[in-house]
Amino acid sequence: DAAERHDLHVVIQGSGSPYAIPKGEPDVLERTRGEVIPKWVEIARTYGSHPAVLAWCPVEEIGDNVESGETPTLDALAEVGRAVAEVDPVHPVTTIHIATWPNVAIAEGEVRGKDMRVHVADLYPFAYVHDWSDPEFAWKTSDEQTRGFLDWTGKHCRMAASREIPFWLFGQANESTWVRRNERGEVEDRPCFRMPTVAEMRFQVWGAVLCGAKGVFFFPYTPTPEPSEETRNTLNEWEHGIGMRTQDGAETPSHEGLARVGKRLRRLLPLLGRLEPLGRIHEEGWVLRRDFQDPSDGRTYAVLLNRDVEGVQEVPSSLSPGPKSPARLEPGDGALVPLD
């Protein structure tokens, strides 16, 4: 109801039994059928007509060993999707893939077929790099972070396009600390993700638009509390931090950045949702351009992006869409320019 009052849409995600598929458990299918499916059918029947609902998400970051043909969690997701569709055929059932595990996203399409109606992946480019880091994700400089973000977002957009479904990006709005037990049994704390700046929030939104994404949402709004002493002594891993709000409810830079770009783009959302890419991305220096067409009327547009999240960049004459083009772009900013 609060989301509707503020003209927002929500992806309803489950956490813990019986609201989340027990990924990684040997009895995942049995527990899904006995516990998870009845609960999600009830949720969809109760809230499926609510105007704020965008999609249902009963599991995230699936780690099935798809290379060996093992897809128990994806099979469970498929069964939840079919059951929910019987009571709510409007809203898709989806998962949120780890962007650097594209093989699992590909396997979802193979398992679910036409029941896979949207492709979703999370991508958090602004991280601290150390020996706990995913080597596929160890981007140290601003250049590496922004380029890596565009490369992976582009890959997932193309994967979605190959199935003729939209791609939604789940972006980064958080800073966090990892708490892990090392090989000696000692508890260690290390920085994980750092808070994106206002410019980096702009960049994620415009970068997703440039790549052809049809939706962008962010993790998280509320903070994750620090682990208690008991939790620190019993769990092997924990991540805590803040999102768009701090522990006491104050606004963070990620909230400020998203609010700014959201206010600018609100009137353009229907158009952005219709645009289809025309060809590849062109790049000169820090500035990128890609052309799009609106299939509803045939009109064409150019999307410009300043990949530099630290400095203003002039739009090169070779990339300028013409007299309506901005002369320069603020850090991480973009623009939509009509071509006719």
Side-chain angles (χ1 to χ4, degrees):
D1 292 341
E4 182 185 8
R5 287 195 299 272
H6 294 281
D7 194 24
L8 299 174
H9 292 86
V10 293
V11 175
I12 307 296
Q13 183 174 0
S15 178
S17 180
Y19 299 96
I21 294 171
K23 61 181 182 179
E25 298 296 328
D27 57 350
V28 57
L29 271 173
E30 290 76 10
R31 288 177 58 187
T32 295
R33 290 165 181 162
E35 304 169 12
V36 180
I37 288 178
K39 183 56 67 175
W40 276 97
V41 168
E42 176 188 344
I43 291 170
R45 184 177 286 119
T46 303
Y47 298 104
S49 61
H50 198 292
V53 172
L54 187 62
W56 313 110
C57 181
V59 65
E60 68 166 1
E61 299 187 343
I62 294 173
D64 285 354
N65 186 10
V66 298
E67 291 85 354
S68 300
E70 300 172 12
T71 59
T73 312
L74 290 172
D75 294 336
L77 175 65
E79 293 199 15
V80 175
R82 288 192 292 268
V84 167
E86 291 184 6
V87 297
D88 175 20
V90 175
H91 302 103
V93 171
T94 187
T95 184
I96 301 170
H97 291 288
I98 295 176
T100 52
W101 296 358
N103 53 339
V104 184
I106 292 170
E108 183 193 354
E110 296 170 347
V111 169
R112 300 187 65 193
K114 292 183 178 180
D115 290 338
M116 183 181 180
R117 294 163 51 194
V118 61
H119 178 130
V120 187
D122 58 27
L123 185 56
Y124 309 150
F126 308 110
Y128 297 97
V129 177
H130 41 63
D131 59 348
W132 290 358
S133 302
D134 181 344
E136 290 280 353
F137 205 44
W139 304 327
K140 297 180 181 180
T141 66
S142 175
D143 177 52
E144 291 175 341
Q145 289 164 350
T146 55
R147 190 173 294 283
F149 175 90
L150 294 175
D151 286 347
W152 278 106
T153 302
K155 288 177 183 178
H156 283 274
C157 283
R158 291 190 293 274
M159 289 164 59
S162 71
R163 301 198 65 85
E164 298 183 336
I165 59 176
F167 172 65
W168 297 349
L169 172 75
F170 195 27
Q172 178 188 348
N174 69 314
E175 68 176 31
S176 65
T177 298
W178 255 333
V179 181
R180 294 177 71 175
R181 191 174 300 278
N182 62 27
E183 64 277 1
R184 298 184 299 277
E186 303 164 336
V187 176
E188 292 186 45
D189 294 63
R190 295 193 187 182
C192 182
F193 295 104
R194 65 168 178 80
M195 176 61 64
T197 65
V198 170
E200 288 166 343
M201 292 298 291
R202 282 197 302 258
F203 165 79
Q204 290 182 83
V205 174
W206 279 108
V209 170
L210 182 84
C211 290
K214 296 298 184 183
V216 187
F217 56 122
F218 287 90
F219 174 83
Y221 183 76
T222 54
T224 304
E226 294 188 34
S228 65
E229 196 61 34
E230 179 183 2
T231 299
R232 289 176 65 92
N233 291 329
T234 55
L235 289 183
N236 288 326
E237 183 170 304
W238 183 273
E239 186 180 342
H240 65 89
I242 61 174
M244 290 186 238
R245 295 286 180 179
T246 64
Q247 299 288 352
D248 59 4
E251 180 182 84
T252 65
S254 65
H255 187 279
E256 179 187 355
L258 186 57
R260 287 187 189 179
V261 71
K263 188 176 296 184
R264 282 181 55 200
L265 289 181
R266 179 169 291 274
R267 65 181 179 81
L268 297 175
L269 290 180
L271 172 59
L272 292 174
R274 295 193 304 270
L275 293 182
E276 296 295 337
L278 295 174
R280 66 181 183 86
I281 296 172
H282 301 271
E283 180 176 4
E284 183 174 330
W286 287 95
V287 178
L288 299 92
R289 170 183 168 173
R290 192 178 199 181
D291 293 349
F292 291 78
Q293 185 174 53
D294 181 355
S296 70
D297 59 13
R299 297 189 65 188
T300 54
Y301 301 81
V303 171
L304 299 174
L305 171 67
N306 177 11
R307 192 170 61 82
D308 186 353
V309 293
E310 298 172 354
V312 175
Q313 292 290 333
E314 302 287 329
V315 176
S317 58
S318 61
L319 297 182
S320 175
K324 297 180 181 178
S325 172
R328 61 190 59 83
L329 293 168
E330 294 296 313
D333 208 0
L336 179 69
V337 183
L339 296 178
D340 45 24

PDB file of all heavy atoms in Angstrom, residues 126 139-151 203 283 285-286 307-310:
ATOM      1  N   PHE A 126      30.898  -1.727  -7.518  1.00  0.00           N
ATOM      2  CA  PHE A 126      31.754  -0.863  -6.705  1.00  0.00           C
ATOM      3  C   PHE A 126      32.118  -1.572  -5.398  1.00  0.00           C
ATOM      4  O   PHE A 126      31.485  -1.412  -4.367  1.00  0.00           O
ATOM      5  CB  PHE A 126      31.058   0.466  -6.453  1.00  0.00           C
ATOM      6  CG  PHE A 126      30.581   1.115  -7.732  1.00  0.00           C
ATOM      7  CD1 PHE A 126      29.231   1.211  -8.032  1.00  0.00           C
ATOM      8  CD2 PHE A 126      31.495   1.564  -8.669  1.00  0.00           C
ATOM      9  CE1 PHE A 126      28.798   1.775  -9.216  1.00  0.00           C
ATOM     10  CE2 PHE A 126      31.075   2.130  -9.870  1.00  0.00           C
ATOM     11  CZ  PHE A 126      29.716   2.236 -10.136  1.00  0.00           C
ATOM     12  N   TRP A 139      37.344  -5.652  -9.861  1.00  0.00           N
ATOM     13  CA  TRP A 139      37.582  -4.414 -10.587  1.00  0.00           C
ATOM     14  C   TRP A 139      38.070  -3.353  -9.600  1.00  0.00           C
ATOM     15  O   TRP A 139      37.348  -2.962  -8.686  1.00  0.00           O
ATOM     16  CB  TRP A 139      36.299  -3.952 -11.267  1.00  0.00           C
ATOM     17  CG  TRP A 139      35.696  -4.981 -12.174  1.00  0.00           C
ATOM     18  CD1 TRP A 139      36.365  -5.909 -12.917  1.00  0.00           C
ATOM     19  CD2 TRP A 139      34.306  -5.200 -12.431  1.00  0.00           C
ATOM     20  NE1 TRP A 139      35.492  -6.686 -13.632  1.00  0.00           N
ATOM     21  CE2 TRP A 139      34.218  -6.281 -13.358  1.00  0.00           C
ATOM     22  CE3 TRP A 139      33.131  -4.586 -11.995  1.00  0.00           C
ATOM     23  CZ2 TRP A 139      32.996  -6.753 -13.828  1.00  0.00           C
ATOM     24  CZ3 TRP A 139      31.910  -5.056 -12.466  1.00  0.00           C
ATOM     25  CH2 TRP A 139      31.849  -6.134 -13.368  1.00  0.00           C
ATOM     26  N   LYS A 140      39.297  -2.873  -9.794  1.00  0.00           N
ATOM     27  CA  LYS A 140      39.903  -1.975  -8.811  1.00  0.00           C
ATOM     28  C   LYS A 140      39.698  -0.501  -9.150  1.00  0.00           C
ATOM     29  O   LYS A 140      39.469   0.317  -8.268  1.00  0.00           O
ATOM     30  CB  LYS A 140      41.407  -2.269  -8.702  1.00  0.00           C
ATOM     31  CG  LYS A 140      41.717  -3.669  -8.186  1.00  0.00           C
ATOM     32  CD  LYS A 140      43.219  -3.899  -8.103  1.00  0.00           C
ATOM     33  CE  LYS A 140      43.533  -5.307  -7.608  1.00  0.00           C
ATOM     34  NZ  LYS A 140      45.000  -5.544  -7.534  1.00  0.00           N
ATOM     35  N   THR A 141      39.804  -0.142 -10.429  1.00  0.00           N
ATOM     36  CA  THR A 141      39.741   1.265 -10.809  1.00  0.00           C
ATOM     37  C   THR A 141      38.351   1.632 -11.305  1.00  0.00           C
ATOM     38  O   THR A 141      37.548   0.760 -11.658  1.00  0.00           O
ATOM     39  CB  THR A 141      40.755   1.556 -11.926  1.00  0.00           C
ATOM     40  OG1 THR A 141      40.359   0.850 -13.112  1.00  0.00           O
ATOM     41  CG2 THR A 141      42.159   1.121 -11.516  1.00  0.00           C
ATOM     42  N   SER A 142      38.084   2.922 -11.359  1.00  0.00           N
ATOM     43  CA  SER A 142      36.815   3.398 -11.884  1.00  0.00           C
ATOM     44  C   SER A 142      36.628   2.957 -13.325  1.00  0.00           C
ATOM     45  O   SER A 142      35.524   2.585 -13.739  1.00  0.00           O
ATOM     46  CB  SER A 142      36.754   4.927 -11.783  1.00  0.00           C
ATOM     47  OG  SER A 142      35.592   5.435 -12.386  1.00  0.00           O
ATOM     48  N   ASP A 143      37.710   2.969 -14.100  1.00  0.00           N
ATOM     49  CA  ASP A 143      37.641   2.529 -15.490  1.00  0.00           C
ATOM     50  C   ASP A 143      37.230   1.061 -15.571  1.00  0.00           C
ATOM     51  O   ASP A 143      36.362   0.682 -16.359  1.00  0.00           O
ATOM     52  CB  ASP A 143      39.000   2.742 -16.157  1.00  0.00           C
ATOM     53  CG  ASP A 143      39.026   2.246 -17.601  1.00  0.00           C
ATOM     54  OD1 ASP A 143      38.132   2.631 -18.377  1.00  0.00           O
ATOM     55  OD2 ASP A 143      39.936   1.478 -17.939  1.00  0.00           O
ATOM     56  N   GLU A 144      37.844   0.207 -14.750  1.00  0.00           N
ATOM     57  CA  GLU A 144      37.505  -1.213 -14.745  1.00  0.00           C
ATOM     58  C   GLU A 144      36.072  -1.440 -14.270  1.00  0.00           C
ATOM     59  O   GLU A 144      35.351  -2.287 -14.803  1.00  0.00           O
ATOM     60  CB  GLU A 144      38.474  -1.983 -13.840  1.00  0.00           C
ATOM     61  CG  GLU A 144      39.890  -2.071 -14.374  1.00  0.00           C
ATOM     62  CD  GLU A 144      40.825  -2.733 -13.386  1.00  0.00           C
ATOM     63  OE1 GLU A 144      40.489  -2.800 -12.190  1.00  0.00           O
ATOM     64  OE2 GLU A 144      41.905  -3.195 -13.802  1.00  0.00           O
ATOM     65  N   GLN A 145      35.651  -0.696 -13.251  1.00  0.00           N
ATOM     66  CA  GLN A 145      34.319  -0.885 -12.684  1.00  0.00           C
ATOM     67  C   GLN A 145      33.222  -0.503 -13.677  1.00  0.00           C
ATOM     68  O   GLN A 145      32.255  -1.242 -13.867  1.00  0.00           O
ATOM     69  CB  GLN A 145      34.198  -0.061 -11.396  1.00  0.00           C
ATOM     70  CG  GLN A 145      35.028  -0.618 -10.259  1.00  0.00           C
ATOM     71  CD  GLN A 145      35.226   0.376  -9.128  1.00  0.00           C
ATOM     72  OE1 GLN A 145      34.900   1.559  -9.256  1.00  0.00           O
ATOM     73  NE2 GLN A 145      35.751  -0.097  -8.015  1.00  0.00           N
ATOM     74  N   THR A 146      33.368   0.639 -14.311  1.00  0.00           N
ATOM     75  CA  THR A 146      32.326   1.067 -15.242  1.00  0.00           C
ATOM     76  C   THR A 146      32.333   0.230 -16.516  1.00  0.00           C
ATOM     77  O   THR A 146      31.275  -0.109 -17.050  1.00  0.00           O
ATOM     78  CB  THR A 146      32.484   2.556 -15.585  1.00  0.00           C
ATOM     79  OG1 THR A 146      33.808   2.812 -16.080  1.00  0.00           O
ATOM     80  CG2 THR A 146      32.232   3.426 -14.354  1.00  0.00           C
ATOM     81  N   ARG A 147      33.523  -0.137 -16.991  1.00  0.00           N
ATOM     82  CA  ARG A 147      33.582  -0.961 -18.194  1.00  0.00           C
ATOM     83  C   ARG A 147      33.063  -2.374 -17.906  1.00  0.00           C
ATOM     84  O   ARG A 147      32.332  -2.960 -18.709  1.00  0.00           O
ATOM     85  CB  ARG A 147      35.020  -1.019 -18.735  1.00  0.00           C
ATOM     86  CG  ARG A 147      35.099  -1.655 -20.122  1.00  0.00           C
ATOM     87  CD  ARG A 147      36.498  -1.538 -20.695  1.00  0.00           C
ATOM     88  NE  ARG A 147      36.862  -0.158 -20.967  1.00  0.00           N
ATOM     89  CZ  ARG A 147      36.444   0.536 -22.008  1.00  0.00           C
ATOM     90  NH1 ARG A 147      35.619  -0.009 -22.889  1.00  0.00           N
ATOM     91  NH2 ARG A 147      36.854   1.779 -22.188  1.00  0.00           N
ATOM     92  N   GLY A 148      33.434  -2.920 -16.756  1.00  0.00           N
ATOM     93  CA  GLY A 148      32.941  -4.238 -16.389  1.00  0.00           C
ATOM     94  C   GLY A 148      31.435  -4.255 -16.241  1.00  0.00           C
ATOM     95  O   GLY A 148      30.764  -5.211 -16.656  1.00  0.00           O
ATOM     96  N   PHE A 149      30.882  -3.198 -15.661  1.00  0.00           N
ATOM     97  CA  PHE A 149      29.430  -3.091 -15.514  1.00  0.00           C
ATOM     98  C   PHE A 149      28.748  -3.133 -16.881  1.00  0.00           C
ATOM     99  O   PHE A 149      27.777  -3.871 -17.081  1.00  0.00           O
ATOM    100  CB  PHE A 149      29.080  -1.791 -14.794  1.00  0.00           C
ATOM    101  CG  PHE A 149      27.607  -1.520 -14.694  1.00  0.00           C
ATOM    102  CD1 PHE A 149      26.881  -1.973 -13.612  1.00  0.00           C
ATOM    103  CD2 PHE A 149      26.952  -0.805 -15.685  1.00  0.00           C
ATOM    104  CE1 PHE A 149      25.509  -1.730 -13.515  1.00  0.00           C
ATOM    105  CE2 PHE A 149      25.589  -0.551 -15.609  1.00  0.00           C
ATOM    106  CZ  PHE A 149      24.867  -1.012 -14.519  1.00  0.00           C
ATOM    107  N   LEU A 150      29.250  -2.359 -17.830  1.00  0.00           N
ATOM    108  CA  LEU A 150      28.639  -2.322 -19.160  1.00  0.00           C
ATOM    109  C   LEU A 150      28.813  -3.645 -19.896  1.00  0.00           C
ATOM    110  O   LEU A 150      27.901  -4.102 -20.598  1.00  0.00           O
ATOM    111  CB  LEU A 150      29.223  -1.170 -19.976  1.00  0.00           C
ATOM    112  CG  LEU A 150      28.899   0.236 -19.477  1.00  0.00           C
ATOM    113  CD1 LEU A 150      29.640   1.277 -20.307  1.00  0.00           C
ATOM    114  CD2 LEU A 150      27.397   0.500 -19.516  1.00  0.00           C
ATOM    115  N   ASP A 151      29.972  -4.274 -19.745  1.00  0.00           N
ATOM    116  CA  ASP A 151      30.209  -5.559 -20.417  1.00  0.00           C
ATOM    117  C   ASP A 151      29.211  -6.614 -19.932  1.00  0.00           C
ATOM    118  O   ASP A 151      28.583  -7.309 -20.751  1.00  0.00           O
ATOM    119  CB  ASP A 151      31.642  -6.034 -20.166  1.00  0.00           C
ATOM    120  CG  ASP A 151      32.676  -5.251 -20.949  1.00  0.00           C
ATOM    121  OD1 ASP A 151      32.284  -4.510 -21.876  1.00  0.00           O
ATOM    122  OD2 ASP A 151      33.875  -5.359 -20.624  1.00  0.00           O
ATOM    123  N   PHE A 203      25.152   6.592 -13.301  1.00  0.00           N
ATOM    124  CA  PHE A 203      25.804   5.746 -14.297  1.00  0.00           C
ATOM    125  C   PHE A 203      25.111   4.396 -14.424  1.00  0.00           C
ATOM    126  O   PHE A 203      24.917   3.885 -15.546  1.00  0.00           O
ATOM    127  CB  PHE A 203      27.280   5.547 -13.939  1.00  0.00           C
ATOM    128  CG  PHE A 203      27.923   4.428 -14.705  1.00  0.00           C
ATOM    129  CD1 PHE A 203      28.330   4.605 -16.020  1.00  0.00           C
ATOM    130  CD2 PHE A 203      28.082   3.168 -14.117  1.00  0.00           C
ATOM    131  CE1 PHE A 203      28.891   3.556 -16.743  1.00  0.00           C
ATOM    132  CE2 PHE A 203      28.634   2.123 -14.834  1.00  0.00           C
ATOM    133  CZ  PHE A 203      29.039   2.312 -16.140  1.00  0.00           C
ATOM    134  N   GLU A 283      31.833   4.343 -29.149  1.00  0.00           N
ATOM    135  CA  GLU A 283      32.553   4.894 -28.007  1.00  0.00           C
ATOM    136  C   GLU A 283      33.725   5.746 -28.471  1.00  0.00           C
ATOM    137  O   GLU A 283      34.448   5.381 -29.403  1.00  0.00           O
ATOM    138  CB  GLU A 283      33.057   3.742 -27.132  1.00  0.00           C
ATOM    139  CG  GLU A 283      33.826   4.153 -25.907  1.00  0.00           C
ATOM    140  CD  GLU A 283      34.215   2.956 -25.035  1.00  0.00           C
ATOM    141  OE1 GLU A 283      33.937   1.801 -25.448  1.00  0.00           O
ATOM    142  OE2 GLU A 283      34.794   3.182 -23.969  1.00  0.00           O
ATOM    143  N   GLY A 285      36.648   7.910 -26.199  1.00  0.00           N
ATOM    144  CA  GLY A 285      37.037   8.349 -24.869  1.00  0.00           C
ATOM    145  C   GLY A 285      36.096   7.769 -23.823  1.00  0.00           C
ATOM    146  O   GLY A 285      35.825   6.572 -23.785  1.00  0.00           O
ATOM    147  N   TRP A 286      35.564   8.659 -22.973  1.00  0.00           N
ATOM    148  CA  TRP A 286      34.661   8.243 -21.908  1.00  0.00           C
ATOM    149  C   TRP A 286      33.195   8.283 -22.346  1.00  0.00           C
ATOM    150  O   TRP A 286      32.317   7.857 -21.590  1.00  0.00           O
ATOM    151  CB  TRP A 286      34.832   9.149 -20.694  1.00  0.00           C
ATOM    152  CG  TRP A 286      36.095   8.938 -19.928  1.00  0.00           C
ATOM    153  CD1 TRP A 286      37.256   9.631 -20.063  1.00  0.00           C
ATOM    154  CD2 TRP A 286      36.324   7.963 -18.906  1.00  0.00           C
ATOM    155  NE1 TRP A 286      38.204   9.161 -19.185  1.00  0.00           N
ATOM    156  CE2 TRP A 286      37.655   8.141 -18.456  1.00  0.00           C
ATOM    157  CE3 TRP A 286      35.538   6.971 -18.325  1.00  0.00           C
ATOM    158  CZ2 TRP A 286      38.213   7.350 -17.448  1.00  0.00           C
ATOM    159  CZ3 TRP A 286      36.093   6.188 -17.307  1.00  0.00           C
ATOM    160  CH2 TRP A 286      37.410   6.373 -16.881  1.00  0.00           C
ATOM    161  N   ARG A 307      30.791   7.671 -19.219  1.00  0.00           N
ATOM    162  CA  ARG A 307      31.254   6.569 -18.369  1.00  0.00           C
ATOM    163  C   ARG A 307      32.167   7.050 -17.253  1.00  0.00           C
ATOM    164  O   ARG A 307      32.437   6.322 -16.278  1.00  0.00           O
ATOM    165  CB  ARG A 307      31.965   5.530 -19.245  1.00  0.00           C
ATOM    166  CG  ARG A 307      32.248   4.214 -18.562  1.00  0.00           C
ATOM    167  CD  ARG A 307      32.721   3.160 -19.558  1.00  0.00           C
ATOM    168  NE  ARG A 307      33.945   3.525 -20.241  1.00  0.00           N
ATOM    169  CZ  ARG A 307      35.176   3.365 -19.748  1.00  0.00           C
ATOM    170  NH1 ARG A 307      35.338   2.841 -18.544  1.00  0.00           N
ATOM    171  NH2 ARG A 307      36.232   3.712 -20.452  1.00  0.00           N
ATOM    172  N   ASP A 308      32.641   8.267 -17.352  1.00  0.00           N
ATOM    173  CA  ASP A 308      33.491   8.862 -16.321  1.00  0.00           C
ATOM    174  C   ASP A 308      32.613   9.294 -15.136  1.00  0.00           C
ATOM    175  O   ASP A 308      31.809  10.219 -15.266  1.00  0.00           O
ATOM    176  CB  ASP A 308      34.237  10.060 -16.899  1.00  0.00           C
ATOM    177  CG  ASP A 308      35.254  10.649 -15.934  1.00  0.00           C
ATOM    178  OD1 ASP A 308      35.299  10.220 -14.769  1.00  0.00           O
ATOM    179  OD2 ASP A 308      35.999  11.563 -16.353  1.00  0.00           O
ATOM    180  N   VAL A 309      32.760   8.623 -14.004  1.00  0.00           N
ATOM    181  CA  VAL A 309      31.930   8.951 -12.836  1.00  0.00           C
ATOM    182  C   VAL A 309      32.612   9.969 -11.926  1.00  0.00           C
ATOM    183  O   VAL A 309      32.118  10.260 -10.840  1.00  0.00           O
ATOM    184  CB  VAL A 309      31.579   7.682 -12.040  1.00  0.00           C
ATOM    185  CG1 VAL A 309      30.667   6.777 -12.844  1.00  0.00           C
ATOM    186  CG2 VAL A 309      32.837   6.922 -11.617  1.00  0.00           C
ATOM    187  N   GLU A 310      33.739  10.528 -12.406  1.00  0.00           N
ATOM    188  CA  GLU A 310      34.461  11.496 -11.593  1.00  0.00           C
ATOM    189  C   GLU A 310      34.592  12.863 -12.253  1.00  0.00           C
ATOM    190  O   GLU A 310      34.910  13.843 -11.584  1.00  0.00           O
ATOM    191  CB  GLU A 310      35.859  10.946 -11.265  1.00  0.00           C
ATOM    192  CG  GLU A 310      35.815   9.656 -10.454  1.00  0.00           C
ATOM    193  CD  GLU A 310      37.182   9.013 -10.289  1.00  0.00           C
ATOM    194  OE1 GLU A 310      38.146   9.526 -10.908  1.00  0.00           O
ATOM    195  OE2 GLU A 310      37.286   8.010  -9.560  1.00  0.00           O
TER     196      GLU A 310
END
